[in-house]
Amino acid sequence: MKLGEIRETKPMDAELRRYLDAIGATAPIPDGAMNAERVQMRRALMMKALEDRDGAIPGLPNGVATRDVTISGWLTGRLYTPADAMSPLPVLVYLHGGGWAAGSVETHDPFCRLLCEAAGVIILAVEYRLAPEHP
């Protein structure tokens, strides 16, 4: 696939729909404050989604090369390189979603694989520490 080409759209996966519905029920409280119970609930939902995923996801570019790296001290990340990479490639630094309180490189791995292949770039996904334990 070449940069700028649009892929055929497909209906949303039923598992993804269930997950999105579940996290929608834990949306931030109106004033935007995150309490410890809500943070734990979001983390548990993300971990359940990871556990339910058994190995490679059909349709993902599972041929994307990955390598876990140490960036500095406690800061780690994962490098994603397109399967047919020709050097040099641009690098995109990716900070996963989760409101700085939930998520991980692992929970966002499928998205990073898709983005890496579609954009034809190397991605460095950063595994940062989460709040509230690390404000």
Side-chain angles (χ1 to χ4, degrees):
M1 175 168 29
K2 295 180 182 173
L3 189 60
E5 287 182 4
I6 297 177
R7 293 184 180 185
E8 170 189 341
T9 59
K10 299 178 182 176
M12 185 178 289
D13 178 75
E15 295 254 343
L16 176 58
R17 177 78 270 158
R18 282 192 294 280
Y19 173 72
L20 292 174
D21 290 343
I23 64 169
T26 65
I29 52 180
D31 68 2
M34 290 294 287
N35 63 30
E37 181 182 346
R38 203 170 284 272
V39 168
Q40 290 306 320
M41 194 180 313
R42 283 190 175 189
R43 287 181 183 172
L45 283 168
M46 286 187 163
M47 293 312 296
K48 177 151 180 23
L50 263 181
E51 291 166 6
D52 291 347
R53 187 177 84 201
D54 186 26
I57 299 173
L60 273 186
N62 292 306
V64 167
T66 62
R67 180 168 52 107
D68 290 338
V69 296
T70 299
I71 299 166
S72 174
W74 56 264
L75 188 61
T76 62
R78 183 171 294 160
L79 279 173
Y80 296 84
T81 307
D84 56 352
M86 300 294 287
S87 294
L89 290 175
V91 175
L92 180 146
V93 177
Y94 181 80
L95 301 174
H96 65 79
W100 305 105
S104 67
V105 166
E106 197 60 40
T107 60
H108 289 71
D109 182 77
F111 175 75
C112 288
R113 289 174 183 276
L114 287 169
L115 183 58
C116 175
E117 183 187 71
V121 299
I122 294 170
I123 294 177
L124 172 60
V126 179
E127 184 74 85
Y128 56 85
R129 296 184 297 180
L130 302 175
E133 296 87 356
H134 302 280

